[in-house]
Amino acid sequence: MISIQNTVNYINEKTNNFEPEIGIILGSGLGELADEYCDYAIPYTEIPFFVKSTVQGHKGRLVFAKIREKKIVMMQGRNHFYEGHTMQEITYPVKVMKTLGIKTLILTNAAGAVNQNFKPADLMLITDHINNMGTNPLIGLNDDTLGERFPDMSQIYKKNIIKLAKKSADDLNIDIKEGIYWANSGPSYETPSEINMIRKLGGDAVGMSTVPEAIVANYCGLDVLGISCITNAASSASGAKLSHEEVIEAAKIAKTKFKSLILEIIKYI
Ligand code: HPA
């Protein structure tokens, strides 16, 4: 697509042809990694064809840095479907990062626990997902240069990367969970009955992101690793209320172990 090449040319000019090998999308409250490691930063507002993030706690810039001898591009803040952007708009950066040269995409998010063994500040490796967003980012004309019309989705979250993520967590003494991520469009949180349904249908954690990016990344041949930071028990019959502040608070508690885990994983990818 002409726009992707325009965007890539713009970025390459700004970063002296940095050529990243790993991409990371940093979710709610997890953006600090890009404050600590930053060789080049470009606000989304300056990047041709990028849309601007509207959510508090999401910064909105593309950050390039060499970390542990690896060249990384980080999205500090992502765009969500619930902000009113199209699926194509929110997944456009994935296609750009692919064209910039990344081979692996690490997707992170804040999520509610559906699995009753999970507690706030736990980290969960995503083993698979369920797309309940009611649409799909690949709808529309297919760009054959990126991927095929009917792409296989049998192993989006690659087993070998999950294995090395588990080993990294073990080495750091971090208790890591595994499970299936269920994506709703949001922005409303779930009702207790919806959470019961998600649990019955196999979801372990629930959120409003990640799945569109994972579908597009897998479609265009990227290896995907997904990590959810559990920020709250998803809505329960107990009637406890849930707020965005609570989500950001729990992400803050988890962010140190989250950061060290990401740094360890990067070494092995
Ligand atoms: N539901 C949906 N999205 C979320 C939640 C939740 O409970 N927590 C963080 N993101």
Side-chain angles (χ1 to χ4, degrees):
M1 262 207 299
I2 296 166
S3 66
I4 295 177
Q5 205 48 56
N6 282 349
T7 305
V8 166
N9 291 348
Y10 176 87
I11 292 169
N12 280 337
E13 205 172 294
K14 289 271 173 192
T15 63
N16 266 317
N17 294 315
F18 185 84
E19 289 185 6
E21 38 197 319
I22 301 170
I24 309 178
I25 301 185
L26 297 164
S28 303
L30 304 172
E32 211 177 78
L33 197 67
D35 288 325
E36 285 176 27
Y37 297 88
C38 174
D39 297 340
Y40 304 94
I42 320 175
Y44 296 157
T45 47
E46 292 177 13
I47 305 177
F49 305 105
F50 263 50
V51 288
K52 187 171 139 226
S53 170
T54 64
V55 196
Q56 69 178 114
H58 294 259
K59 236 185 192 160
R61 49 181 210 158
L62 205 56
V63 173
F64 295 79
K66 203 154 186 202
I67 309 179
R68 304 284 193 265
E69 298 307 310
K70 300 275 166 66
K71 288 193 204 166
I72 314 285
V73 53
M74 290 172 274
M75 286 187 70
Q76 195 173 27
R78 60 151 63 77
N79 293 305
H80 299 84
F81 189 50
Y82 63 70
E83 291 174 83
H85 308 303
T86 65
M87 279 277 164
Q88 283 73 19
E89 283 167 339
I90 63 173
T91 54
Y92 182 73
V94 175
K95 298 175 191 169
V96 168
M97 288 191 280
K98 159 79 182 175
T99 313
L100 283 170
I102 68 164
K103 301 280 181 280
T104 308
L105 181 63
I106 303 177
L107 294 167
T108 72
N109 59 50
V114 176
N115 185 320
Q116 281 150 327
N117 296 320
F118 296 176
K119 53 186 189 313
D122 273 351
L123 299 178
M124 181 192 92
L125 295 171
I126 302 177
T127 53
D128 200 2
H129 74 222
I130 296 172
N131 177 14
N132 189 51
M133 294 180 104
T135 182
N136 189 296
L138 301 175
I139 289 174
L141 265 185
N142 188 50
D143 180 348
D144 295 330
T145 62
L146 283 173
E148 55 187 304
R149 174 74 292 186
F150 301 108
D152 169 73
M153 294 282 148
S154 59
Q155 202 196 120
I156 300 178
Y157 306 90
K158 296 290 175 298
K159 288 210 170 83
N160 57 328
I161 310 187
I162 292 177
K163 209 166 145 191
L164 70 84
K166 271 167 48 181
K167 186 189 173 314
S168 301
D170 276 357
D171 289 349
L172 296 170
N173 258 325
I174 294 172
D175 167 44
I176 194 108
K177 308 282 197 270
E178 283 176 64
I180 294 168
Y181 178 88
W182 176 292
N184 286 331
S185 70
S188 50
Y189 289 119
E190 298 70 29
T191 64
S193 307
E194 285 164 348
I195 294 302
N196 283 338
M197 175 192 78
I198 295 169
R199 192 175 292 122
K200 282 186 186 138
L201 294 181
D204 292 294
V206 58
M208 308 172 191
S209 68
T210 303
V211 162
E213 294 109 316
I215 292 173
V216 170
N218 186 61
Y219 152 80
C220 60
L222 295 174
D223 285 344
V224 178
L225 173 70
I227 308 174
S228 290
C229 172
I230 301 297
T231 51
N232 56 280
S235 172
S236 69
S238 74
K241 282 205 170 149
L242 173 59
S243 68
H244 184 57
E245 287 68 36
E246 179 182 342
V247 168
I248 296 295
E249 264 319 297
K252 266 193 199 149
I253 295 167
K255 76 182 172 192
T256 312
K257 78 176 165 183
F258 168 80
K259 261 193 306 186
S260 39
L261 179 63
I262 294 276
L263 294 176
E264 190 71 11
I265 292 170
I266 286 173
K267 280 205 294 201
Y268 299 113
I269 284 182

